[in-house]
Protein backbone atom coordinates (compact mmCIF):
# COMPACT_ATOMS: atom_id res chain seq x y z
CA UNK A 1 0.00 0.00 0.00
CA UNK A 2 0.95 3.65 -0.21
CA UNK A 3 3.36 4.86 2.41
CA UNK A 4 3.97 8.33 3.74
CA UNK A 5 4.71 10.83 1.00
CA UNK A 6 6.29 14.24 1.26
CA UNK A 7 6.71 17.10 -1.14
CA UNK A 8 8.78 18.72 -2.36
CA UNK A 9 11.67 16.29 -1.99
CA UNK A 10 14.18 19.11 -2.31
CA UNK A 11 13.76 22.80 -1.65
CA UNK A 12 16.28 25.59 -2.01
CA UNK A 13 15.24 28.86 -0.43
CA UNK A 14 16.96 32.18 -0.15
CA UNK A 15 17.36 33.43 3.40
CA UNK A 16 14.26 35.28 4.44
CA UNK A 17 11.87 33.36 2.19
CA UNK A 18 8.91 31.43 3.51
CA UNK A 19 8.60 27.73 2.70
CA UNK A 20 5.81 25.17 3.04
CA UNK A 21 6.47 21.46 3.29
CA UNK A 22 3.70 18.94 2.76
CA UNK A 23 3.13 15.51 4.28
CA UNK A 24 0.57 12.90 3.21
CA UNK A 25 0.42 10.24 5.92
CA UNK A 26 -0.62 6.63 5.49
CA UNK A 27 -4.38 6.58 5.01
CA UNK A 28 -6.23 6.17 8.28
CA UNK A 29 -3.25 6.91 10.49
CA UNK A 30 -4.32 8.90 13.49
CA UNK A 31 -0.98 10.30 14.54
CA UNK A 32 1.39 12.47 12.55
CA UNK A 33 4.83 13.67 13.60
CA UNK A 34 7.33 16.13 12.16
CA UNK A 35 11.05 15.79 12.75
CA UNK A 36 14.14 17.75 11.79
CA UNK A 37 17.28 15.81 11.00
CA UNK A 38 20.68 17.44 10.71
CA UNK A 39 23.58 15.67 9.07
CA UNK A 40 25.03 12.97 11.30
CA UNK A 41 22.26 13.26 13.88
CA UNK A 42 19.11 11.38 14.65
CA UNK A 43 15.70 12.89 13.93
CA UNK A 44 14.72 15.62 16.41
CA UNK A 45 11.06 15.88 17.34
CA UNK A 46 9.26 19.04 16.22
CA UNK A 47 5.53 18.54 16.67
CA UNK A 48 2.77 15.92 17.00
CA UNK A 49 -0.82 15.77 15.76
CA UNK A 50 -3.54 13.41 16.82
CA UNK A 51 -6.09 13.73 14.04
CA UNK A 52 -6.43 17.50 13.54
CA UNK A 53 -5.35 18.44 17.05
CA UNK A 54 -1.78 19.59 17.59
CA UNK A 55 -1.08 18.01 20.96
CA UNK A 56 2.59 18.81 21.27
CA UNK A 57 4.63 21.51 19.61
CA UNK A 58 7.38 21.68 22.16
CA UNK A 59 10.07 20.82 19.62
CA UNK A 60 9.45 23.70 17.26
CA UNK A 61 12.67 25.73 17.46
CA UNK A 62 11.13 29.18 17.09
CA UNK A 63 7.91 31.00 16.36
CA UNK A 64 8.94 31.03 12.70
CA UNK A 65 7.88 27.38 12.55
CA UNK A 66 4.22 26.57 12.23
CA UNK A 67 2.42 23.30 11.47
CA UNK A 68 -1.16 22.43 10.74
CA UNK A 69 -3.31 19.43 9.92
CA UNK A 70 -6.76 21.00 9.44
CA UNK A 71 -8.69 17.91 8.32
CA UNK A 72 -6.76 15.29 10.19
CA UNK A 73 -4.94 13.91 7.16
CA UNK A 74 -2.50 16.03 5.14
CA UNK A 75 -0.18 18.23 7.17
CA UNK A 76 1.88 21.28 6.26
CA UNK A 77 4.98 22.53 8.04
CA UNK A 78 5.63 26.18 7.33
CA UNK A 79 8.84 28.01 8.04
CA UNK A 80 8.75 31.77 7.82
CA UNK A 81 11.75 34.00 7.13
CA UNK A 82 14.07 31.03 6.67
CA UNK A 83 17.56 31.16 8.16
CA UNK A 84 20.64 29.18 7.22
CA UNK A 85 20.38 27.15 10.41
CA UNK A 86 17.02 25.85 9.16
CA UNK A 87 18.85 23.81 6.51
CA UNK A 88 18.12 20.18 7.30
CA UNK A 89 15.99 17.23 6.24
CA UNK A 90 12.43 17.51 7.46
CA UNK A 91 10.85 14.14 8.04
CA UNK A 92 7.21 13.34 8.52
CA UNK A 93 6.03 10.12 10.16
CA UNK A 94 2.63 8.64 10.83
CA UNK A 95 1.33 6.03 13.20
CA UNK A 96 -1.90 4.05 13.45
CA UNK A 97 -2.16 4.54 17.21
CA UNK A 98 -2.10 7.43 19.61
CA UNK A 99 1.02 6.68 21.62
CA UNK A 100 3.64 3.99 21.73
CA UNK A 101 2.97 2.67 18.25
CA UNK A 102 5.46 2.19 15.44
CA UNK A 103 6.02 5.23 13.28
CA UNK A 104 6.52 5.07 9.53
CA UNK A 105 8.53 7.76 7.85
CA UNK A 106 8.21 9.59 4.58
CA UNK A 107 11.23 10.23 2.35
CA UNK A 108 11.76 13.68 3.78
CA UNK A 109 12.22 17.15 2.34
CA UNK A 110 15.81 18.33 2.11
CA UNK A 111 15.76 22.08 2.72
CA UNK A 112 18.77 24.19 1.85
CA UNK A 113 18.73 27.86 2.79
CA UNK A 114 21.27 29.96 0.92
CA UNK B 1 22.84 13.97 29.54
CA UNK B 2 21.08 13.34 26.24
CA UNK B 3 17.74 11.56 26.32
CA UNK B 4 19.03 8.70 24.18
CA UNK B 5 22.70 7.87 23.77
CA UNK B 6 24.35 5.57 21.27
CA UNK B 7 27.92 4.74 20.39
CA UNK B 8 28.33 6.55 17.05
CA UNK B 9 30.79 3.99 15.74
CA UNK B 10 31.67 3.42 13.03
CA UNK B 11 31.65 -0.33 13.42
CA UNK B 12 33.57 -1.99 10.60
CA UNK B 13 33.07 -5.74 10.54
CA UNK B 14 33.67 -8.55 8.05
CA UNK B 15 30.82 -10.44 6.45
CA UNK B 16 29.53 -13.17 8.71
CA UNK B 17 30.51 -11.41 11.91
CA UNK B 18 28.22 -10.86 14.87
CA UNK B 19 27.90 -7.27 15.97
CA UNK B 20 26.05 -5.68 18.87
CA UNK B 21 24.96 -2.11 19.51
CA UNK B 22 23.82 -0.63 22.79
CA UNK B 23 21.61 2.32 23.43
CA UNK B 24 20.93 3.94 26.81
CA UNK B 25 17.90 6.04 27.65
CA UNK B 26 17.20 8.38 30.53
CA UNK B 27 13.41 8.26 30.89
CA UNK B 28 12.70 5.30 33.15
CA UNK B 29 8.96 5.57 32.43
CA UNK B 30 9.38 4.74 28.74
CA UNK B 31 7.32 1.78 27.62
CA UNK B 32 7.97 1.48 23.90
CA UNK B 33 11.34 1.04 22.25
CA UNK B 34 12.36 0.66 18.64
CA UNK B 35 15.29 0.10 16.36
CA UNK B 36 15.31 1.84 13.00
CA UNK B 37 17.69 1.42 10.10
CA UNK B 38 18.65 4.42 7.99
CA UNK B 39 20.53 4.20 4.72
CA UNK B 40 22.50 7.17 3.43
CA UNK B 41 20.18 9.98 2.32
CA UNK B 42 17.10 7.86 2.98
CA UNK B 43 14.42 7.93 5.64
CA UNK B 44 14.55 5.76 8.77
CA UNK B 45 12.85 2.40 8.30
CA UNK B 46 11.48 0.42 11.20
CA UNK B 47 13.62 -2.61 11.91
CA UNK B 48 12.21 -3.92 15.16
CA UNK B 49 9.93 -2.98 18.00
CA UNK B 50 11.01 -3.95 21.50
CA UNK B 51 7.96 -4.15 23.75
CA UNK B 52 8.95 -6.51 26.49
CA UNK B 53 12.15 -8.21 27.51
CA UNK B 54 13.24 -8.62 23.92
CA UNK B 55 12.47 -10.24 20.63
CA UNK B 56 14.10 -11.94 17.68
CA UNK B 57 13.54 -11.61 13.95
CA UNK B 58 15.80 -13.81 11.86
CA UNK B 59 19.38 -12.64 12.28
CA UNK B 60 18.33 -9.71 14.46
CA UNK B 61 17.75 -9.83 18.21
CA UNK B 62 16.71 -6.88 20.33
CA UNK B 63 16.97 -6.89 24.12
CA UNK B 64 15.60 -4.50 26.71
CA UNK B 65 17.16 -4.10 30.14
CA UNK B 66 14.89 -1.87 32.20
CA UNK B 67 17.02 -2.01 35.34
CA UNK B 68 20.02 -0.58 33.53
CA UNK B 69 17.93 1.44 31.07
CA UNK B 70 19.42 0.21 27.86
CA UNK B 71 18.37 -1.64 24.76
CA UNK B 72 20.62 -3.61 22.50
CA UNK B 73 20.57 -4.89 18.94
CA UNK B 74 22.46 -7.99 17.94
CA UNK B 75 23.06 -8.81 14.29
CA UNK B 76 24.28 -12.30 13.53
CA UNK B 77 25.92 -13.48 10.30
CA UNK B 78 26.13 -9.91 9.05
CA UNK B 79 25.67 -9.23 5.33
CA UNK B 80 27.02 -6.49 3.11
CA UNK B 81 23.46 -5.20 2.87
CA UNK B 82 23.36 -4.63 6.63
CA UNK B 83 25.63 -1.61 6.16
CA UNK B 84 23.62 1.36 7.39
CA UNK B 85 23.10 3.59 10.40
CA UNK B 86 21.07 2.04 13.20
CA UNK B 87 18.93 4.37 15.29
CA UNK B 88 17.38 3.48 18.60
CA UNK B 89 14.27 5.31 19.74
CA UNK B 90 11.76 5.41 22.55
CA UNK B 91 8.59 7.24 23.36
CA UNK B 92 8.76 10.17 25.75
CA UNK B 93 5.11 11.08 26.38
CA UNK B 94 3.76 11.93 22.94
CA UNK B 95 6.95 12.10 20.99
CA UNK B 96 9.61 9.68 19.91
CA UNK B 97 13.19 10.46 20.90
CA UNK B 98 16.00 9.13 18.76
CA UNK B 99 19.65 8.49 19.34
CA UNK B 100 22.18 9.93 16.91
CA UNK B 101 22.69 6.51 15.37
CA UNK B 102 25.44 3.91 15.13
CA UNK B 103 27.06 3.49 11.77
CA UNK B 104 27.79 -0.06 10.62
CA UNK B 105 29.91 -1.02 7.63
CA UNK B 106 30.10 -4.68 6.69
CA UNK B 107 33.06 -5.48 4.47
CA UNK B 108 33.67 -8.47 2.19
Amino acid sequence: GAGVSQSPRYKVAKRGQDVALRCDPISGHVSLFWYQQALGQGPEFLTYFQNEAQLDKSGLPSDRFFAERPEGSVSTLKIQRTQQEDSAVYLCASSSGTMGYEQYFGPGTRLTVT
Amino acid sequence: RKEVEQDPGPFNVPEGATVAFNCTYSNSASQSFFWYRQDCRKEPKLLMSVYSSGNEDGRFTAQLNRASQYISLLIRDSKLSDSATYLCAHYNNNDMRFGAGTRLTVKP
Side-chain angles (χ1 to χ4, degrees):
Chain A
V4 179
S5 62
Q6 292 186 245
S7 61
R9 293 291 310 278
Y10 303 91
K11 177 70 179 177
V12 178
K14 290 189 189 303
R15 190 173 58 181
Q17 280 185 331
D18 298 348
V19 298
L21 313 180
R22 177 187 167 107
C23 173
D24 277 272
I26 293 172
S27 178
H29 274 197
V30 169
S31 297
L32 186 146
F33 304 79
W34 282 99
Y35 294 88
Q36 180 188 63
Q37 187 172 26
L39 191 64
Q41 298 298 315
E44 294 284 339
F45 169 79
L46 294 177
T47 186
Y48 161 61
F49 290 86
Q50 183 178 320
N51 297 308
E52 68 279 3
Q54 188 175 21
L55 298 188
D56 190 338
K57 53 182 182 179
S58 62
L60 296 176
S62 78
D63 59 8
R64 296 185 295 104
F65 287 71
F66 171 77
E68 60 184 4
R69 193 187 185 197
E71 296 177 0
S73 55
V74 171
S75 176
T76 303
L77 176 67
K78 297 179 180 177
I79 309 173
Q80 297 176 323
R81 304 181 304 282
T82 52
Q83 304 293 317
Q84 283 191 318
E85 62 263 27
D86 299 336
S87 296
V89 175
Y90 291 86
L91 294 162
C92 174
S94 71
S95 170
S96 61
T98 55
M99 193 171 76
Y101 286 74
E102 295 94 344
Q103 295 183 19
Y104 297 91
F105 283 84
T109 295
R110 184 175 299 274
L111 174 65
T112 303
V113 182
T114 60
Chain B
R1 181 184 172 190
K2 290 188 71 173
E3 177 90 25
V4 182
E5 296 207 42
Q6 293 184 250
D7 182 340
F11 284 64
N12 297 307
V13 303
E15 268 187 294
T18 295
V19 61
F21 310 132
N22 279 341
C23 171
T24 58
Y25 61 93
S26 58
N27 185 351
S28 59
S30 292
Q31 295 296 316
S32 303
F33 302 86
F34 307 90
W35 282 102
Y36 281 79
R37 170 200 169 119
Q38 187 170 28
D39 292 286
C40 189
R41 301 179 78 86
K42 299 286 190 181
E43 72 272 23
K45 290 192 185 301
L46 181 67
L47 182 64
M48 296 182 75
S49 304
V50 189
Y51 285 113
S52 56
S53 61
N55 48 296
E56 184 174 317
D57 182 4
R59 297 183 294 108
F60 299 84
T61 300
Q63 294 283 336
L64 168 62
N65 184 317
R66 289 190 185 276
S68 301
Q69 294 185 212
Y70 76 84
I71 61 172
S72 63
L73 178 68
L74 182 77
I75 305 175
R76 289 181 297 277
D77 187 25
S78 52
K79 313 289 185 191
L80 296 177
S81 58
D82 294 334
S83 297
T85 295
Y86 291 83
L87 301 162
C88 67
H90 75 106
Y91 265 94
N92 177 52
N93 297 319
N94 288 322
D95 58 90
M96 190 104 88
R97 298 297 170 97
F98 285 83
T102 298
R103 186 164 179 181
L104 171 68
T105 301
V106 181
K107 300 188 173 181

